[in-house]
Amino acid sequence: MKIAVLLYDQLTALDAVGPYEVLSRVPGAEVVFTAARPGPVRTDMGSLALTADAGFAEVTDPDVLLVPGGPGCAALLEDGPTLDWIREVDAGTTWTTSVCSGSLLLAAAGLLTGRRATSHWICLDMLEAFGATPVGDERIVVDGTYATSAGVSAGIDLALHLAGLAAGPRVAESIQLVIEYAPEPPYATGSTADAPPEMVEALRASNLIVTG
Amino acid sequence: MKIAVLLYDQLTALDAVGPYEVLSRVPGAEVVFTAARPGPVRTDMGSLALTADAGFAEVTDPDVLLVPGGPGCAALLEDGPTLDWIREVDAGTTWTTSVCSGSLLLAAAGLLTGRRATSHWICLDMLEAFGATPVGDERIVVDGTYATSAGVSAGIDLALHLAGLAAGPRVAESIQLVIEYAPEPPYATGSTADAPPEMVEALRASNLIVTG
């Protein structure tokens, strides 16, 4: 199973690394971090660069495509080379997936037209402009060969779900134990349904997931 | 608040990136990924390099030290430059912290002697050889200025806990909402207490967290 993870300037690091930590542990999986050009890619919070080992031209036939989100996706919504690459590899994937605002790139590439999809809650409504149906109350939304997930940390849940589909539940359960994923969030504010409304609105106004 | 994250060859990526995603969002926080020498550092699963922007000599006075785990830590348990740097910066930190087997490096540096600490469940018992008291049933263990956490994904919980201590619960709650951390693990195997015993023993025998 060949898995391509798209990297681009100003992506959100955990969007890519959470799924990587899970999917790279599926027996036989081969993950390749891919960007327009190989080399280091700076993430949105500024202090970390992730290395793309391959450029678009070298990665043409992954079984799984994972598109992370981050403020940098805004600059790519009309970027020909990125959207072309996404469309090209999507034609051969078993699963085309996204974390957070990464679904906006799938939508901008025309892949989510008429499909149910999710995204980071701050930019969920933007999916509609691309003809997708935003789903706000599901952490992972599967429609056909497309699996989109909610913001940032949701990529870990998405990847465990995909690991189960690809290799069976026993393998996915083992991976969950290896990464000791028995979360104990210290607060009860992880979703807009649980957080205080004024906190939700203040963060929505900042729009930091799309514009940084 | 200056936060140093140690990088070394064959670390586990999520151990470092989970906490980074949280701590970098604390207002005024400045994270610096630090290794013996600056440059790309290859993580344990092979497909991803994280960039260290600074070498040990450039980072002398962080307020927080975070030491991730991974199979690469085994090679550093007697590494003078790494253990010396950990001891030197620890002398000035408000918090010295670890994720997963990173606590073995704190212990090897002599910092956990006589203290309660945790680690990845696979290598938890190794803490005893360094004079620490292993704690297997707490995801985050705080003893004095030392905060150790369980395996891989536990670093996210640790970092939210630290964000609350450093900037107050309201800030930490907002960060939890930004990273949409309302986890929905698809399986119930995230801890040794919940997973089937034969799965626990098979993974324990592999010892992959310490030896790769």
Side-chain angles (χ1 to χ4, degrees):
Chain A
M1 183 171 64
K2 206 182 293 182
I3 301 161
V5 180
L6 174 65
L7 295 183
Y8 55 86
D9 196 47
Q10 305 292 311
L11 86 153
T12 298
L14 185 56
D15 288 26
V17 174
Y20 165 62
E21 202 61 69
V22 171
L23 295 174
S24 61
R25 296 175 189 277
V26 174
E30 182 196 327
V31 181
V32 59
F33 285 86
T34 310
R37 283 166 297 280
V41 176
R42 190 60 50 171
T43 60
D44 59 347
M45 300 308 293
S47 302
L48 179 63
L50 310 178
T51 300
D53 281 346
F56 287 161
E58 300 161 75
V59 179
T60 54
D61 60 351
D63 302 295
V64 177
L65 169 64
L66 187 128
V67 177
C73 75
L76 299 178
L77 292 175
E78 298 182 356
D79 182 70
T82 301
L83 300 184
D84 285 347
W85 181 76
I86 288 173
R87 274 186 291 260
E88 280 163 29
V89 301
D90 170 69
T93 58
T94 307
W95 295 102
T96 292
T97 72
S98 65
V99 181
C100 196
S101 52
S103 60
L104 297 180
L105 291 177
L106 299 185
L111 303 179
L112 300 182
T113 309
R115 295 189 183 275
R116 302 168 73 250
T118 193
S119 194
H120 193 286
W121 59 269
I122 288 182
C123 59
L124 182 66
D125 290 349
M126 289 178 68
L127 284 170
E128 247 173 341
F130 297 104
T133 303
V135 178
D137 55 357
E138 297 174 26
R139 195 158 168 87
I140 301 167
V141 175
V142 178
D143 189 335
T145 58
Y146 301 92
T148 55
S149 61
V152 193
S153 63
I156 299 172
D157 296 329
L158 169 70
L160 283 166
H161 182 77
L162 291 172
L165 292 175
R170 204 68 177 172
V171 166
E173 286 172 343
S174 283
I175 294 172
Q176 187 171 325
L177 180 55
V178 166
I179 67 165
E180 212 162 342
Y181 188 48
E184 295 180 13
Y187 304 100
T189 56
S191 76
T192 54
D194 297 326
E198 71 275 14
M199 183 179 288
V200 173
E201 289 320 311
L203 286 170
R204 196 190 301 278
S206 75
N207 201 17
L208 77 179
I209 289 300
V210 181
T211 58
Chain B
M1 181 170 67
K2 205 181 298 182
I3 300 160
V5 179
L6 174 64
L7 295 183
Y8 54 87
D9 196 46
Q10 305 292 310
L11 86 152
T12 298
L14 185 55
D15 287 27
V17 174
Y20 166 64
E21 202 59 69
V22 171
L23 295 173
S24 61
R25 296 174 189 276
V26 173
E30 182 195 327
V31 180
V32 58
F33 285 86
T34 310
R37 282 164 299 280
V41 175
R42 191 59 50 170
T43 59
D44 59 348
M45 299 309 292
S47 303
L48 179 63
L50 309 178
T51 300
D53 281 345
F56 287 162
E58 301 161 74
V59 179
T60 55
D61 61 350
D63 302 297
V64 176
L65 169 63
L66 186 128
V67 177
C73 76
L76 299 178
L77 292 174
E78 297 184 355
D79 182 69
T82 301
L83 300 183
D84 285 348
W85 181 77
I86 288 174
R87 275 187 289 262
E88 281 165 28
V89 302
D90 170 68
T93 58
T94 307
W95 294 103
T96 292
T97 72
S98 65
V99 181
C100 197
S101 52
S103 59
L104 298 181
L105 291 177
L106 299 185
L111 303 179
L112 299 182
T113 309
R115 295 190 182 275
R116 300 169 75 248
T118 193
S119 193
H120 193 287
W121 60 269
I122 287 181
C123 59
L124 182 66
D125 290 349
M126 289 179 68
L127 285 170
E128 248 175 339
F130 298 104
T133 303
V135 178
D137 55 356
E138 298 174 27
R139 195 158 166 87
I140 301 167
V141 175
V142 178
D143 189 336
T145 58
Y146 300 93
T148 55
S149 61
V152 194
S153 63
I156 299 171
D157 296 328
L158 169 72
L160 283 166
H161 182 76
L162 291 172
L165 293 175
R170 203 69 177 171
V171 167
E173 286 171 344
S174 283
I175 294 171
Q176 188 171 323
L177 180 54
V178 167
I179 66 165
E180 212 160 342
Y181 187 48
E184 294 181 12
Y187 304 100
T189 55
S191 75
T192 54
D194 297 326
E198 70 277 14
M199 183 179 287
V200 172
E201 290 320 311
L203 287 170
R204 196 191 299 279
S206 76
N207 201 17
L208 78 178
I209 289 300
V210 180
T211 58

